[in-house]
């Protein structure tokens, strides 16, 4: 028995060391492969626009970043789950509620996946969604303002990795748990009771088609193993979802070895239309849960956080026709559906080939009950019965697949550091190019949709070694753009990225740029402390709270002299930017503040809290270089001792005589 186990471990180690050896296949020196006119194809002349927006996740920085394609130029860092002192996100009173959770305020997360909203399977340019991998949450970004507008916490989840993935018309976003955990009333259990007590869960988040608001419609309670990635069906497979599952061994320690025992794990096929029916029939179980729902409202330029109390659960083992398992070799990671919706690609990280499943065959196998057995009562479809075919010798360590508009697939190979192009129908490998190095996700514009825009594939790499000037032990993260318009993929650009780029989607600029908000209209500003015009500027004491309604316009703040604040006060600077011109933000910061700055967009009001910690005169100023007289855009706050009788007064431009 023991010997058997040791043999198994040894066998696994041999496999793993093989992988380490395979890694040495990758090119050793930086190679300049951009030849001929290749590099000019990424060149966007000064003053010209890029053709695509690339919305790239930032991994452990908890943000998204916006780049232009094909230039690779960085346009914006878009804070989502992490505080961002540069804009005051998570520091201003208005944005703090966005980062509220059932655990309280959390300033950071790990953002892996982007999903851009679609209608009829095609990009519509409305919203971008992202996942918080650590403290399970999903976020929605409004593509008109490029701001995080909503964050929904996901209860009953042990790490939100297979998330967010959306259905054809953005009806639902799914959020699947990476780790299984005990749920319900009895959570204090031995870790070794994994098999009995640990469960998975997949949340179906309903998206309101009008305003994008997210609510958990229901959760599927699933067998205890790890749920890695997912894609919705489309076209003929609309109504289904596919998830890659690993650790079907149900190991709970040294997963590296113990979760790689079996020859095959599963792709889990979910008939969500069926689940929807059961929910409509009232078959879901309402369970207590606690999760935050945070919404930013641009009318008041403020967020609110509400704690939700319930979630409706369907245990899939109690319903015969919601979930089916399809065997998939060796710890599948990516699980991608081609643009036609017929083919589902499983990427076993440790497998030497890639299975492509057929939706038609899966349906037939279900109709014929063509099963090889069951797992926790859930039917396991015969591998051969679901299989369209295998891509033979695609490369080593297949992770993720995207598609072009010509019936081709592009798969990232982590171990052999390359992108492999193959034909979805014939499964024939057509081309391969090296990536520098260890590619994770890749992105073809429109690649996960029914209508890919094609033209480029962008590689998001895990290792940058020797591609850029060294910057100490930590190097920049990197991405690479390949032209895929011809038969052969051709590298045209390396570009550095911020954070760790996990996944990205690229969307034609024409679907987004025309809708971009330029200013917020002052007359629509319903912020309770807004000063719409300098005449409304004021300072009001409310106990130990002092509310300053201040205006900013080139190049002064009103008021710029404030007296009567005392030690022990909390001062709230509510800054309204009176500008109604595009691209004229004003910033605000005050000396010694244990807080960040805030950046205030034209027509908007934002609030910075300040607690004085010493008596004296404290300067404040505009932080964004807004005009030739930006340096003059400043003022003073006088802080008097606690209990002093200094009268509250404020002014701008008033010269007082001192007697
Ligand atoms: Cu492959 Cu978290 Cu999508 Cu990264 S995951 S690579
Ligand atoms: Cu306003 Cu600088």
């Amino acid at each position: 028995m023991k010997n058997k186990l040791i043999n198994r471990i040894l066998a696994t180690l041999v496999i793993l060391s093989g992988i380490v050896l395979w890694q040495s296949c990758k090119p050793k020196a930086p190679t300049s492969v951009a030849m001929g006119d290749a590099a000019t194809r990424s060149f966007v002349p000064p003053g010209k626009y890029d053709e695509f927006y690339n919305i790239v996740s930032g991994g452990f920085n908890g943000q998204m970043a916006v780049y232009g394609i094909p230039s690779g130029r960085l346009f914006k860092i878009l804070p989502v789950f992490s505080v961002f002192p540069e804009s005051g996100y998570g520091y201003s009173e208005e944005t703090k509620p966005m980062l509220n959770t059932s655990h309280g305020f959390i300033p950071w997360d790990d953002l892996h996946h982007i999903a851009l909203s679609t209608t009829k399977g095609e990009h519509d340019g409305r919203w971008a969604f992202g996942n918080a991998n650590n403290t399970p949450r999903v976020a929605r970004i409004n593509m008109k303002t490029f701001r995080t507008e909503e964050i929904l916490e996901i209860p009953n989840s042990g790490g939100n990795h297979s998330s967010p993935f959306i259905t054809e018309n953005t009806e639902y976003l799914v959020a699947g748990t990476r780790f299984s955990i005990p749920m319900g009333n009895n959570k204090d259990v031995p870790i070794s009771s994994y098999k009995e007590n640990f469960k998975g869960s997949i949340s179906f988040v309903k998206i309101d088609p009008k305003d994008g608001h997210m609510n958990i419609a229901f959760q599927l309670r699933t067998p205890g193993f790890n749920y890695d990635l997912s894609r919705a069906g489309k076209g003929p497979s609309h109504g289904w979802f596919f998830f890659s599952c690993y650790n079907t061994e149900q190991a709970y320690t040294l997963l590296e070895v113990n979760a790689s025992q079996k020859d095959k794990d599963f792709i889990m096929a979910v008939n969500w239309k069926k689940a929807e029916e059961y929910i409509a029939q009232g078959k879901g179980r309402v369970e207590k849960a606690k999760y935050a729902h945070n919404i930013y409202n641009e009318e008041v330029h403020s967020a609110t956080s509400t704690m939700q109390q319930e979630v409706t659960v369907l245990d899939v083992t109690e319903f015969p026709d919601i979930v089916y398992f399809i065997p998939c070799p060796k710890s599948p990671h990516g699980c991608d559906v081609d643009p036609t919706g017929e083919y589902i690609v499983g990427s076993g990280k440790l497998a030497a080939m890639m299975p492509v499943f057929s939706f038609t065959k899966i349906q037939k196998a279900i109709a014929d009950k063509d099963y090889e057995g069951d797992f926790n009562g859930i039917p396991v479809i015969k591998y051969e019965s679901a299989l369209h075919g295998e891509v033979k010798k695609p490369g080593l360590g297949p992770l993720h697949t995207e598609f072009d508009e010509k019936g081709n697939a592009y798969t990232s190979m982590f171990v052999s550091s390359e992108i492999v192009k193959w034909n979805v129908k014939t499964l024939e490998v057509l081309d391969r190019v090296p990536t520098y190095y260890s590619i994770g996700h890749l992105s073809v514009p429109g690649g996960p949709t029914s209508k890919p825009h094609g033209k480029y594939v962008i590689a998001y790499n895990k290792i940058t070694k020797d591609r850029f000037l060294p910057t100490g032990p930590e190097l920049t993260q990197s991405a690479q753009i390949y032209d895929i318009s011809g038969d052969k993929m051709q590298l045209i650009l390396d570009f550095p990225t911020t954070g760790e780029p996990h996944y990205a989607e690229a969307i034609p600029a024409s679907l987004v740029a025309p809708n971009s908000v330029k200013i917020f209209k002052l007359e629509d500003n319903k912020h309770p402390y807004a000063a719409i015009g300098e005449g409304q500027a004021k300072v009001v004491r409310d106990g130990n709270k002092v509310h300053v309604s201040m205006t900013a316009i080139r190049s002064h703040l009103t008021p710029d002299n404030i007296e009567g604040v005392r030690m022990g006060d909390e001062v709230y600077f509510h800054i309204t930017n009176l500008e109604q011109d595009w691209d004229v933000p004003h910033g605000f910061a005050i000396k010694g503040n244990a807080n960040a700055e805030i950046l205030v967009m034209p027509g908007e009001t934002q609030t910075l809290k300040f607690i004085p910690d010493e008596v004296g005169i404290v300067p404040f100023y505009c932080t964004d270089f807004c005009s030739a007289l930006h340096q003059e855009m400043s003022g003073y706050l006088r802080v008097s001792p606690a209990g002093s009788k200094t009268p509250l007064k404020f002014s701008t431009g008033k010269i007082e005589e001192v007697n």
Side-chain angles (χ1 to χ4, degrees):
M1 180 69 203
K2 221 178 184 174
N3 273 344
K4 232 186 184 174
L5 182 69
I6 288 169
N7 279 342
R8 250 205 219 160
I9 292 173
L10 280 178
T12 310
L13 287 177
V14 167
I15 293 172
L16 291 176
S17 64
I19 285 165
V20 172
L21 286 179
W22 286 338
Q23 268 188 322
S24 59
C25 308
K26 77 191 177 197
K28 287 193 186 67
T31 322
S32 184
V33 253
M35 288 176 304
D37 71 332
T40 64
R41 282 184 249 157
S42 67
F43 181 67
V44 177
K48 292 276 185 269
Y49 291 153
D50 278 281
E51 190 182 350
F52 296 98
Y53 284 96
N54 195 198
I55 316 292
V56 184
S57 70
F60 49 65
N61 77 8
Q63 303 161 338
M64 295 182 188
V66 184
Y67 299 83
I69 300 292
S71 74
R73 297 180 294 191
L74 172 64
F75 301 147
K76 188 183 174 69
I77 294 173
L78 201 163
V80 183
F81 297 112
S82 294
V83 296
F84 194 48
E86 184 178 321
S87 68
Y89 182 81
Y91 294 94
S92 71
E93 295 308 298
E94 288 79 2
T95 54
K96 279 177 187 171
M98 291 302 282
L99 300 177
N100 192 38
T101 72
S102 61
H103 309 274
F105 179 87
I106 293 191
W108 169 89
D109 218 295
D110 183 16
L111 197 165
H112 280 215
H113 304 123
I114 309 279
L116 298 185
S117 59
T118 51
T119 304
K120 296 198 180 111
E122 296 179 25
H123 277 155
D124 58 28
R126 288 181 296 169
W127 306 302
F129 299 92
N131 67 323
N133 199 17
N134 183 48
T135 301
R137 285 168 286 170
V138 288
R140 181 176 54 82
I141 285 78
N142 186 332
M143 296 290 282
K144 288 186 180 155
T145 56
F146 282 81
R147 287 181 169 198
T148 305
E149 216 170 58
E150 189 171 1
I151 292 183
L152 177 66
E153 192 176 359
I154 306 291
N156 292 327
S157 177
N160 181 39
H161 194 265
S162 43
S163 163
F165 295 94
I166 54 166
T167 53
E168 208 167 64
N169 299 298
T170 321
E171 295 98 334
Y172 287 103
L173 166 164
V174 296
T177 188
R178 172 181 178 192
F179 306 112
S180 283
I181 47 169
M183 292 174 198
N185 297 329
N186 188 18
K187 292 182 186 147
D188 181 20
V189 297
I191 296 170
S192 59
S193 70
Y194 187 105
K195 266 190 190 149
E196 303 93 84
N197 290 323
F198 287 46
K199 295 283 175 236
S201 92
I202 310 283
S203 300
F204 279 74
V205 176
K206 188 96 191 123
I207 310 291
D208 188 319
K210 288 193 308 292
D211 49 20
H213 284 171
M214 307 186 288
N215 280 294
I216 299 180
F218 56 92
Q219 284 190 327
L220 299 182
R221 181 105 355 127
T222 54
F225 33 70
N226 294 40
Y227 296 85
D228 215 6
L229 284 156
S230 167
R231 284 292 181 192
K234 39 188 180 259
S237 54
H238 179 62
W240 288 74
F241 243 109
F242 304 93
F243 291 83
S244 58
C245 312
Y246 66 105
N247 189 24
T248 52
E249 294 84 352
Q250 302 189 296
Y252 52 83
T253 181
L254 199 62
L255 262 58
E256 179 184 12
V257 174
N258 295 326
S260 311
Q261 300 291 311
K262 284 196 190 166
D263 212 36
K264 292 197 172 68
D265 290 284
F266 295 135
I267 299 274
M268 179 171 83
V270 177
N271 184 342
W272 60 262
K273 289 262 183 195
K274 256 277 165 307
E276 230 180 11
E277 278 171 30
Y278 288 128
I279 291 291
Q281 293 161 12
K283 299 209 169 132
R285 209 168 40 227
V286 176
E287 288 186 5
K288 289 242 164 310
K290 192 179 166 205
Y291 56 104
H293 188 188
N294 313 328
I295 299 184
Y296 197 84
N297 175 353
E298 288 293 7
E299 260 189 12
V300 285
H301 302 299
S302 304
T304 49
S305 176
T306 323
M307 211 51 80
Q308 306 289 319
Q309 308 294 344
E310 286 178 345
V311 71
T312 305
V313 176
L314 272 186
D315 187 329
V316 300
T317 57
E318 294 166 16
F319 300 88
D321 48 4
I322 302 180
V323 165
Y324 303 87
F325 289 128
I326 305 161
C328 185
K330 288 270 164 211
S331 305
H333 186 59
C335 173
D336 294 288
V337 179
D338 89 313
T340 69
E342 167 63 12
Y343 300 109
I344 300 117
V345 182
S347 296
K349 290 173 296 205
L350 306 178
M353 52 79 186
M354 276 164 37
V356 178
F357 300 101
S358 147
F359 181 70
T360 312
K361 287 190 171 177
I362 293 169
Q363 293 309 298
K364 181 160 190 309
I366 291 170
D368 298 348
K369 296 203 168 15
D370 194 0
Y371 304 141
E372 65 171 44
D374 74 289
F375 190 98
N376 287 12
I378 295 164
V380 179
I381 297 172
K382 273 195 197 128
Y383 175 72
E384 289 75 17
S385 305
L387 191 69
H388 162 59
E390 292 172 349
V391 185
K392 304 283 186 207
K393 300 221 170 99
L396 304 175
L399 290 189
H400 300 284
T401 300
E402 296 247 320
F403 305 89
D404 69 12
E405 72 289 13
K406 301 173 201 153
N408 300 312
Y410 300 80
T411 302
S412 55
M413 300 290 163
F414 176 79
V415 176
S416 54
S417 284
E418 57 186 338
I419 297 175
V420 173
K421 175 183 174 183
W422 51 279
N423 184 285
V424 178
K425 274 215 180 96
T426 66
L427 306 171
E428 183 194 352
V429 172
L430 302 172
D431 190 24
R432 52 180 74 235
V433 282
T435 58
Y436 308 92
Y437 305 94
S438 298
I439 178 176
H441 277 273
L442 39 54
S443 163
V444 173
T449 72
S450 308
K451 201 178 154 219
H453 317 294
K455 285 187 105 160
Y456 305 104
V457 63
I458 306 135
Y460 304 93
N461 302 334
K462 301 297 180 200
I463 297 169
T464 313
K465 219 174 275 187
D466 70 28
R467 292 302 281 186
F468 295 101
L469 284 175
T471 48
E474 192 197 6
L475 301 178
T476 180
Q477 303 275 331
S478 103
Q480 297 183 294
I481 306 180
Y482 299 79
D483 184 333
I484 57 167
S485 54
D487 285 344
K488 293 275 165 201
M489 296 178 276
Q490 200 168 11
L491 176 62
I492 60 174
L493 185 74
D494 274 21
F495 68 101
T497 71
T498 168
E500 189 209 356
H502 263 272
Y503 182 50
E505 279 204 50
I507 179 169
S510 59
L511 289 175
V512 175
N515 308 322
S516 201
V517 167
K518 293 194 165 73
I519 59 161
F520 296 109
K521 286 204 190 115
L522 263 180
E523 67 251 39
D524 297 341
N525 184 332
K526 304 226 165 60
H527 191 291
Y529 291 98
I532 313 295
E534 291 179 6
Q536 293 184 15
K538 61 185 174 191
V539 181
V540 176
R541 174 176 286 284
D542 173 14
N544 75 327
K545 292 189 168 60
V546 177
H547 289 280
V548 180
S549 290
M550 185 182 279
T551 61
I553 193 162
R554 281 162 292 179
S555 299
H556 58 276
L557 297 162
T558 305
D560 67 357
N561 281 193
I562 302 165
E563 300 191 9
V565 165
R566 307 173 205 130
M567 289 296 290
D569 284 347
E570 287 176 0
V571 186
Y572 294 86
F573 290 97
H574 310 282
I575 317 291
T576 302
N577 181 345
L578 296 180
E579 307 280 354
Q580 292 287 270
D581 272 346
W582 192 21
D583 201 21
V584 194
H586 292 287
F588 183 84
I590 181 162
K591 187 195 159 200
N593 195 9
N595 204 341
E597 65 157 346
I598 47 172
L599 272 192
V600 192
M601 297 305 125
E604 185 189 32
T605 304
Q606 289 286 288
T607 303
L608 193 71
K609 182 178 175 182
F610 172 59
I611 302 176
D613 69 336
E614 59 185 12
V615 169
I617 304 294
V618 195
F620 53 80
Y621 71 103
C622 168
T623 52
D624 191 328
F625 208 107
C626 50
S627 69
L629 297 172
H630 154 79
Q631 287 296 82
E632 282 71 11
M633 199 166 173
S634 62
Y636 291 115
L637 171 74
R638 175 179 169 189
V639 178
S640 301
S644 84
K645 294 273 169 328
T646 314
L648 194 64
K649 61 179 183 177
F650 58 94
S651 63
T652 293
K654 198 166 130 203
I655 313 290
E656 282 183 60
E657 301 283 321
V658 180
N659 353 320

